[in-house]
Amino acid sequence: AVMWRAVAAASAPARALCRAPPPPAPPRRRAVSVAVSPTASLADERVETRVAGLGPGQPVTLRAVTADERGCLFQSCAHYWADSRGQLHLGTDASHGGDYTGVEPMGLFWSLAPAGMERPYQRLVPRSTGAPMKVEMLVHEGHSLSAAIPGPVVAKAEVERWFTAPGVRRIRLKEGGVRGSLFVPPGDGPFPGVIDMYGDEGGLIEFRSSLLATRGFAALSLPYFDFEDLPKVMKEFRLEYFEEAARFLQRHPKVKGPGVGVIGTGKGAELALSMITFLPEVVAAVCISGCSSNTVADLHYGEMTLPGLRFDMNKVSVSDAGVFDTFEALDDPTNPANSPCTIPIEKAEGHFLLVVGEDDRMWKSSLYAELAIGRLRQHGKENFKLLSYPGAGHRIDPPSTPFCQVAMDRVLGVPVVGGGESKAHAYAQEHSWGKIQEFLHLHLG
């Protein structure tokens, strides 16, 4: 036994020489990474998205996923090819498919839509401005459609989108009859004051006000029905409520004065026109997709009444998918019989900024802007500016707000088409937001 062990020991080096060398280790491929910069940003700011560690020319699908406060899931996707270095930059590289095409740095944000398992036609609107919207950015192997099961995840990152900057104060209001929230920027001020109103969805919508405060305005988010002890429905309005709000804001120690501004969308835009017309406290009005006549609900001010133009439900068309089109339904404001509904904006001493999407299907906001401008010019006035956007729809919100061509109408309880095409609408939102701030600073100081 000792002899065999000695023989085996002697032959071991020879066997080692005859054995095949181990195969070379495969080249180490870098891990795929996705980086979004900054990881926490304001909701109206652009971010930079880069992917690294891919193979040259590798096809990938980028996906964004988020949930609203009720847990409803929203997602978007786009198809990209890595460059020769295995990298991607959404600021310079084009999407070749998915929810948008072309170079769109913020495309994954503005194309967010309800996921397949969710009820369609829901709008992604933040209900609370104190917490960020958290968006997960995912990189999947291969190209997959939004409705299909995507390929394996090779990288992911989380982004926070904030609607309020540090130091902005939110003050809930129960001031006389006025309800709402006042957002005040950090610092001593005083700041230009703006009243912010939305349309026939009612309730308190704060995200635009909090972003305005972040940009240096004292912004009063003003609900006017379906909130706390305000009227439940749009039956009739008294301008005295809006006058009380304007006076409260004008007299606030943090507000610059002497006048305040107002920004409104839809019905809110039309109320903004009435406010600048009749209330001397209001010196600048931003009217987004509004009508130049009073609509739906009669508006009273002292002894005066502006009757509301009516909607003729017989003129509403319904698609095979059950989507309502209200474009032709509002009574014609140019009909002499409807002249009592016209807001006499020529009486206004202040300045108007009219913002419209040329593909607004909710109603004829481009026509209504033309009528308003015609009326002002007829009275020798040039106190207006028009921003008219081809391909944009009805609700032009701050930048990167997800585009929603069809949305559930709170009053009718059915999906209503708002019009527009996603890319053109996203451009309108980004461009108009800067112009709105310029206009308000110009006329409010």
Side-chain angles (χ1 to χ4, degrees):
V2 173
M3 185 180 74
W4 285 116
R5 276 203 295 274
V7 171
S11 62
R15 279 206 309 275
L17 288 170
C18 299
R19 194 184 301 144
R28 287 192 62 190
R29 186 155 149 200
R30 284 186 303 149
V32 180
S33 65
V34 57
V36 184
S37 173
T39 52
S41 58
L42 289 163
D44 60 354
E45 288 178 346
R46 280 191 176 197
V47 294
E48 295 238 335
T49 306
R50 296 175 185 270
V51 182
L54 298 167
Q58 183 179 342
V60 288
T61 297
L62 263 66
R63 220 159 57 95
V65 181
T66 189
D68 68 10
E69 284 96 332
R70 297 162 303 172
C72 174
L73 209 61
F74 290 77
Q75 62 179 20
S76 59
C77 77
H79 301 162
Y80 289 90
W81 303 91
D83 66 15
S84 57
R85 296 165 303 162
Q87 297 179 359
L88 266 181
H89 178 212
L90 268 57
T92 53
D93 293 322
S95 162
H96 297 277
D99 293 325
Y100 62 90
T101 57
V103 178
E104 294 293 340
M106 299 301 293
L108 286 168
F109 293 89
W110 53 248
S111 59
L112 282 162
M117 76 287 279
E118 302 289 358
R119 283 187 302 116
Y121 313 133
Q122 295 187 73
R123 212 186 268 288
L124 180 54
V125 174
R127 301 274 185 272
S128 151
T129 56
M133 183 171 82
K134 293 184 177 179
V135 184
E136 192 167 38
M137 307 290 271
L138 303 151
V139 183
H140 297 268
E141 283 184 8
H143 289 164
S144 50
L145 297 172
S146 43
I149 296 170
V153 175
V154 291
K156 61 181 176 180
E158 190 176 76
V159 187
E160 290 185 351
R161 302 286 280 166
W162 287 85
F163 292 89
T164 309
V168 168
R169 284 193 303 138
R170 173 181 179 264
I171 303 155
R172 280 300 303 276
L173 284 191
K174 261 197 167 174
E175 194 72 32
V178 177
R179 302 291 174 263
S181 299
L182 177 64
F183 290 85
V184 182
D188 296 334
F191 308 101
V194 182
I195 292 170
D196 177 27
M197 300 181 294
Y198 270 91
D200 63 5
E201 60 268 62
L204 178 64
I205 301 173
E206 299 177 311
F207 75 100
R208 184 165 62 192
S209 301
S210 65
L211 285 172
L212 282 167
T214 294
R215 300 294 170 209
F217 297 92
L220 169 56
S221 183
L222 186 68
Y224 49 93
F225 77 104
D226 196 28
F227 181 73
E228 293 185 354
D229 55 356
L230 295 175
K232 275 280 161 245
V233 293
M234 287 201 304
K235 197 172 177 188
E236 56 182 358
F237 294 121
R238 297 210 66 87
L239 198 61
E240 281 84 354
Y241 172 77
F242 303 91
E243 182 175 50
E244 193 182 346
R247 285 179 177 170
F248 163 79
L249 188 62
Q250 183 195 36
R251 292 168 184 166
H252 195 280
K254 289 277 188 181
V255 172
K256 195 180 268 185
V260 298
V262 59
I263 177 171
T265 296
K267 178 69 186 175
E270 174 197 308
L271 287 163
L273 289 178
S274 292
M275 288 170 74
I276 194 172
T277 297
F278 296 110
L279 309 179
E281 296 84 1
V282 179
V283 298
V286 179
C287 306
I288 301 170
S289 309
C291 184
S292 48
S293 292
N294 186 53
T295 68
V296 184
D298 293 355
L299 181 68
H300 307 284
Y301 186 47
E303 299 297 305
M304 181 212 74
T305 296
L306 283 183
L309 279 182
R310 303 300 174 193
F311 275 96
D312 182 350
M313 294 310 286
N314 294 321
K315 291 183 180 170
V316 175
S317 61
V318 186
S319 74
D320 293 342
V323 174
F324 283 57
D325 186 335
T326 58
F327 188 66
E328 297 288 349
L330 188 67
D331 285 349
D332 180 4
T334 63
N335 183 335
N338 294 323
S339 61
C341 306
T342 305
I343 302 165
I345 55 173
E346 68 279 1
K347 293 181 178 177
E349 293 299 322
H351 291 263
F352 300 88
L353 178 63
L354 307 170
V355 183
V356 295
E358 293 174 19
D359 193 31
D360 184 350
R361 292 295 306 175
M362 193 74 74
W363 60 12
K364 301 175 182 179
S365 54
S366 285
L367 167 68
Y368 306 150
E370 280 175 33
L371 293 175
I373 288 168
R375 191 173 180 93
L376 291 170
R377 283 191 165 144
Q378 198 182 332
H379 290 83
K381 298 214 161 186
E382 292 289 331
N383 55 340
F384 64 87
K385 188 172 168 110
L386 172 68
L387 297 175
S388 186
Y389 294 101
H394 179 70
R395 188 164 150 160
I396 298 171
D397 273 329
S400 302
T401 301
F403 171 67
C404 194
Q405 189 180 51
V406 176
M408 197 58 72
D409 186 273
R410 201 198 64 84
V411 179
L412 299 174
V414 295
V416 175
V417 63
E421 179 276 316
S422 59
K423 198 183 288 196
H425 194 88
Y427 170 78
Q429 293 193 146
E430 183 154 353
H431 183 266
S432 64
W433 186 237
K435 294 294 181 188
I436 286 166
Q437 292 173 65
E438 279 175 28
F439 170 84
L440 291 171
H441 276 303
L442 176 65
H443 296 294
L444 303 177

